[in-house]
Amino acid sequence: MRLDRFLSGQTAFSRKELTAFIRSGAVTIGGAVIRKPDTQIDPEQAEVTLCGKQITYAAHHYYLLHKPAGVITASRDPKQKTVLDLLEPEDRIQGLFPSGRLDIDTEGLLLITNDGALSHQMLSPKHHVAKYYLARLAKPFQQEYTELFRGGILLREGDGEELCQPAECRPVSERLAVLELHEGKYHQVKRMFAAVGNHVENLLRVGIGTLRLPTDLAPGSYFRIFNKDVYSALKNSDISEVCAFCAEYYSSYWINEWK
Ligand code: URA
């Protein structure tokens, strides 16, 4: 792999900036200054430094973000703050994008990555990776929702209708419910509850596969996670376990001190 390509996959600098760094002698390989951007290196083996800082190679990068409300799920936007704007400048590696979409007012677990294959696996309904949402409802949860959602809800779509895949739904308390989805239609959770006569006041994504929204991660914060931890999470969990998790950690989420 070319040295400039290696560095652009591991840092937030543009190719042009990196070429200038390399030419100025700011890059070493195995302790020797290298000034040619097209130098071929073995990314797994080469000991590369940039301005004295060791650069460790990862084929892809993954950040687990607690998306706050008021930020849009996009890579860039001329007007509104995006989830990528929440990353520290040095973490904004080229090619990152949010995997999946949460509405501007939805909060919770969002992965930011530059791994297209992972994202496809996580989002495609074919792979059935469950997304878990905690919804605060305007009206009390009704037992009939469980059967209605299992049977597949019909959502109005323009002039027609679209059928949702069967979904599991359980109450956590009178007005809190967990919904498990294996697909991601536009405003799906809000529209499903609207279809049964309720209204979602707040929405928090608490899980994807076996990944959970860390209970000590404040809205707007994030951390880096490893490839193996993301891929091994692409399995389903038991909704009862997610309900217990929400009951213990998120039942007072919308009234706690960071709001
Ligand atoms: N369903 C919604 O209605 N909104 C989201 O942000 C995610 C799922």
Side-chain angles (χ1 to χ4, degrees):
M1 182 187 286
R2 281 174 61 125
L3 177 59
D4 52 359
R5 184 155 163 248
F6 167 88
L7 286 169
S8 86
Q10 310 306 317
T11 69
F13 297 112
S14 68
R15 240 358 211 268
K16 205 167 148 201
E17 289 168 321
L18 288 167
T19 301
F21 274 131
I22 298 168
R23 294 224 159 99
S24 72
V27 174
T28 66
I29 302 178
V33 171
I34 302 293
R35 292 178 190 269
K36 288 178 77 182
D38 63 354
T39 304
Q40 288 293 327
I41 64 163
D42 176 347
E44 307 274 358
Q45 300 295 327
E47 286 176 14
V48 180
T49 68
L50 170 63
C51 301
K53 197 175 157 234
Q54 184 150 357
I55 308 293
T56 347
Y57 176 72
H60 293 109
H61 300 267
Y62 310 87
Y63 298 105
L64 190 159
L65 170 75
H66 184 159
K67 179 195 172 295
V71 173
I72 62 165
T73 311
S75 299
R76 61 181 73 84
D77 190 87
K79 294 200 188 95
Q80 285 171 288
K81 190 167 177 173
T82 74
V83 288
L84 282 220
D85 295 330
L86 296 170
L87 301 185
E88 295 296 332
E90 65 269 24
D91 289 334
R92 290 182 208 158
I93 292 159
Q94 308 287 315
L96 288 176
F97 60 90
S99 177
R101 185 173 290 271
L102 294 177
D103 299 335
I104 188 164
D105 56 349
T106 300
E107 301 171 76
L109 181 54
L110 185 72
L111 270 183
I112 295 179
T113 184
N114 55 0
D115 184 346
L118 176 276
S119 185
H120 175 73
Q121 214 172 312
M122 216 173 84
L123 301 177
S124 139
K126 215 174 72 206
H127 287 98
H128 303 290
V129 177
K131 323 292 177 309
Y132 296 95
Y133 296 89
L134 178 67
R136 187 160 76 122
L137 304 172
K139 296 188 240 170
F141 182 90
Q142 303 297 312
Q143 287 308 327
E144 72 206 41
Y145 295 168
T146 306
E147 279 312 308
L148 288 170
F149 287 166
R150 252 183 219 156
I153 291 280
L154 263 187
L155 297 178
R156 241 176 238 132
E157 180 66 21
D159 292 339
E161 288 173 322
E162 57 177 344
L163 184 63
C164 295
Q165 287 184 4
E168 284 298 315
C169 180
R170 302 276 166 81
V172 171
S173 64
E174 194 188 35
R175 292 207 294 124
L176 285 180
V178 169
L179 183 59
E180 172 182 333
L181 294 185
H182 296 262
E183 57 183 345
K185 299 187 192 302
Y186 179 67
H187 292 336
Q188 185 164 350
V189 176
K190 295 171 186 163
R191 289 162 72 210
M192 284 175 73
F193 279 105
V196 294
N198 212 318
H199 171 72
V200 173
E201 290 188 333
N202 300 93
L203 192 57
L204 179 73
R205 182 153 70 189
V206 290
I208 299 174
T210 56
L211 273 184
R212 295 287 166 269
L213 180 63
T215 54
D216 54 356
L217 189 67
S221 304
Y222 68 96
F223 58 83
R224 189 171 266 210
I225 53 172
F226 294 109
N227 166 300
K228 65 178 172 42
D229 296 327
V230 185
Y231 275 92
S232 66
L234 301 182
K235 309 185 268 254
N236 288 337
S237 313
D238 182 347
I239 191 169
S240 316
E241 176 263 305
V242 182
C243 289
F245 170 76
C246 289
E248 182 164 2
Y249 298 108
Y250 288 109
S251 54
S252 55
Y253 179 76
W254 285 287
I255 46 173
N256 76 19
E257 75 277 5
W258 63 42
K259 299 267 118 187

